[in-house]
Amino acid sequence: MALLDRLPSRVLTPRGWGFTIAAVVALLFAQTLGRRDLLYLGILLLCLPLLSVLILRWSKPRFTVERRFSPQSMETGSTTTVGLALASPVPSGALVRMEEQLPARFGEAPKFAFPSHNPTSNGVSLYEYRLRSSTRGMYRIGPVLAEFGDPFGLGKSRHQLGGTDTLVVTPAPVELLQSALSGSRGSDGTAATRRQANPSDDDVMTREYRHGDSMRRVHWAATARHSELMVRQEESVTAPEATLLLDQRTGSFGSGSLAAIRHDHAPGGNGLSTSSTFEWAVTAAVSISAHLLERNYALRFLDHHGSPALLRSPSAPFPGEEEHQGQGALANIAEGLAALELAPEPGHAGSSAVHGGEAARSAVRRLRADRSHAERVAAGAAFGDELLDKLAANRHRGPVVALLGLVTAAEATALGAASEYGSAAFAILVADRARDVETQLEILRSAGWQASAASPDSDLREVWAGLDQSPGTATGVRTSTWAFPGTAAETRGRSS
């Protein structure tokens, strides 16, 4: 029996191999002894496994497979429950062994048998299992690999049932402490402005007339509705705005060497071109977005060229959007960041990421739709005129936060001019070594940015809190705040 278990088992079971070996032995004895009965027995024993294999090959199993995720997308470090519903219009008494196909990073694939112990009244078998991932990305779940056998247990055949479904794993935001970004905003993020309200009838705040109010401020439409004299409010409430910049270039997050970039195409990989420094920046981006959106900020999310930051992401539900506000905005940003990867430098063939199935087709469609825009910005330098023009168009409407990699001194100088376009300017430079960004930090601070450095092992909360303690030269004191592990935060003051 141990010998039968060692034989190839993709087509025949151990019992099928036993029949085949017995048939060969019977045919040999029939030839040697001249026994016709052994000849008939050998042919019968040989035909049974062959017939079982042919029937299994010709028969096409008809199954309906439905897969759902709860929640639909999950954050890194959390779990999602996968529900499988399988049904067959043709009832079969044989037990079918099934296995869900999963990327290797999720561990051992779940195995189950059809039908289940407690199928529903309409014959649907339900199964559940859980998945957990510590890495963001888009993962193809499925199909179901089913192993069918004949009633005699002689042969078996494997078929793929159903298709694949994409599981989106988003970066998990880190809760940040309240910082100088909030400024004079209220707890709900709004701020009162000492200006006359918008005179549009569509959106205006009114109150009853008081002695001494100018008749020019009378709102006649509201007066007619309320049957008393109504005037426009002197104060209006404005929604705060903020701009978040995310550098996405391969050269900025490769520490000067392409060897630092991870192209994860191994079985179960997410296919993203990324690095440890870029992963830290992505986590910072979703955390800062959550911090601002929860305080009712209208967030403008841009890349190093001034384009929508999620334009190249195949997981983004609205890749061309650069302004995010209101309910669902954080979910859209997190989902877009799930498959965002490093952008190739000019002169390279392009990204090496390979997304299969519908994700790849969706990415191709988006890239074709924005080809003219991509060609236009590819010729320009990072942090160039297009970015500065967008920031200038929203001058002093809110803070600017930049998440940068290993930028050059010239790029830091070009970005330095953007500090005057925001009510405040904050920058975090992510690099493996502190000495790689010392010059860039000094350039940004001298231009009015509040800048800090971070490494892939830095605590995001500490780096965020350190931004309030890293003012530029306008205060008369220049402060250097380092957030690298193993190095105590050092503050050096120098009077102007």
Side-chain angles (χ1 to χ4, degrees), residues 391 394-400 418-425:
L391 296 178
N394 298 276
R395 183 190 297 265
H396 300 309
R397 292 189 182 178
V400 178
S419 63
E420 63 182 75
Y421 300 139
S423 58

Side-chain angles (χ1 to χ4, degrees), residues 397-442:
R397 292 189 182 178
V400 178
V401 183
L403 295 171
L404 311 174
L406 193 61
V407 297
T408 64
E411 292 167 347
T413 302
L415 185 60
S419 63
E420 63 182 75
Y421 300 139
S423 58
F426 304 88
I428 300 177
L429 280 72
V430 190
D432 290 321
R433 296 168 298 188
R435 62 177 179 270
D436 293 335
V437 293
E438 287 181 347
T439 302
Q440 295 87 327
L441 283 173
E442 292 300 320

